[in-house]
Amino acid sequence: GAGVSQSPRYKVAKRGQDVALRCDPISGHVSLFWYQQALGQGPEFLTYFQNEAQLDKSGLPSDRFFAERPEGSVSTLKIQRTQQEDSAVYLCASSLTGISGNTIYFGEGSWLTVV
Amino acid sequence: QKEVEQNSGPLSVPEGAIASLNCTYSDRGSQSFFWYRQYSGKSPELIMFIYSNGDKEDGRFTAQLNKASQYVSLLIRDSQPSDSATYLCAVKDDYKLSFGAGTTVTVRA
């Protein structure tokens, strides 16, 4: 596609429910990132994939968060047993490669509200 | 995680004026600096990047970098109502972007 596509755009989950957020990066982009953006804050890094390999998951806030990119294209961020503090916008981004000089393009985000 | 600090604003400027946004960062070894614009409810959109000390101009936008002072700024000349948005400063380390909290700019018609 022309840009990074994310679904669902909006999700309301009851506390304790599991959610799965999907990201379809720009075709051919090797690098894929997930960021979490709380209201009034800048995006915070969650995890980084290069192709199918998850090279950095240091930003995942707890073991309830899990991300995968099994075929090196589409990625899924899964949050188990959601808590109210998980309410945020989850931004997916991709770039041609991960090195400096390559522009990182963001998707529109998945807005998660946990009630 | 690298620390990036911005004044949260809001910064209100009249139409046609210059909006000046500031950002400081903690890691002296940082090499790549970015300004993103984010409209309410939308994704961040890259507007400028700068790697070298000095000024870089692109249309009405000028980014300024001073590595010795660990300071990067963005000037928006001839501000337009369409420039009303949150501006995010980001520092890149290899592959990872670290963002400030953003400065909200409102341009008054």
Side-chain angles (χ1 to χ4, degrees):
Chain A
V4 179
S5 178
Q6 293 189 242
S7 62
R9 288 293 323 277
Y10 303 95
K11 175 69 178 178
V12 178
K14 292 184 178 179
R15 192 172 57 179
Q17 185 179 355
D18 296 349
V19 299
L21 308 176
R22 175 190 167 103
C23 173
D24 200 340
I26 294 172
S27 179
H29 278 197
V30 168
S31 298
L32 185 144
F33 309 83
W34 284 98
Y35 284 80
Q36 180 191 57
Q37 187 173 23
L39 191 64
Q41 299 298 316
E44 294 280 346
F45 172 82
L46 293 178
T47 188
Y48 164 58
F49 289 86
Q50 188 170 54
N51 295 306
E52 69 279 2
Q54 189 175 22
L55 299 186
D56 187 343
K57 54 181 181 179
S58 62
L60 295 177
S62 77
D63 59 7
R64 296 185 296 103
F65 286 72
F66 172 77
E68 60 182 6
R69 193 186 186 196
E71 297 178 358
S73 56
V74 171
S75 176
T76 304
L77 176 66
K78 297 179 179 178
I79 309 172
Q80 297 177 322
R81 306 181 303 281
T82 52
Q83 303 295 315
Q84 284 190 319
E85 62 263 29
D86 300 335
S87 296
V89 180
Y90 291 86
L91 294 165
C92 179
S94 70
S95 70
L96 194 57
T97 69
I99 61 174
S100 294
N102 279 273
T103 301
I104 295 176
Y105 297 91
F106 284 84
E108 293 284 306
S110 289
W111 293 62
L112 173 65
T113 302
V114 181
V115 298
Chain B
Q1 191 90 355
K2 305 204 184 299
E3 191 170 315
V4 181
E5 299 287 340
Q6 293 181 253
N7 291 330
S8 61
L11 176 65
S12 180
V13 298
E15 186 173 358
I18 295 175
S20 178
L21 309 173
N22 303 318
C23 174
T24 59
Y25 58 95
S26 62
D27 187 343
R28 186 169 290 278
S30 297
Q31 295 294 322
S32 307
F33 307 89
F34 300 79
W35 284 99
Y36 281 81
R37 176 176 62 199
Q38 188 173 29
Y39 292 112
S40 181
K42 298 296 185 180
S43 60
E45 171 193 11
L46 180 67
I47 53 173
M48 289 284 293
F49 61 87
I50 187 167
Y51 303 143
S52 303
N53 276 330
D55 295 358
K56 179 181 179 183
E57 187 173 316
D58 184 359
R60 295 186 295 111
F61 298 97
T62 298
Q64 299 173 317
L65 174 62
N66 184 326
K67 291 185 180 179
S69 299
Q70 295 174 236
Y71 174 91
V72 58
S73 66
L74 180 71
L75 300 177
I76 308 173
R77 290 183 302 281
D78 187 24
S79 295
Q80 302 297 310
S82 59
D83 295 326
S84 297
T86 296
Y87 290 81
L88 298 164
C89 173
V91 176
K92 194 176 184 189
D93 173 29
D94 290 331
Y95 53 84
K96 185 190 302 185
L97 282 173
S98 296
F99 287 88
T103 299
T104 300
V105 173
T106 301
V107 180
R108 309 188 302 272

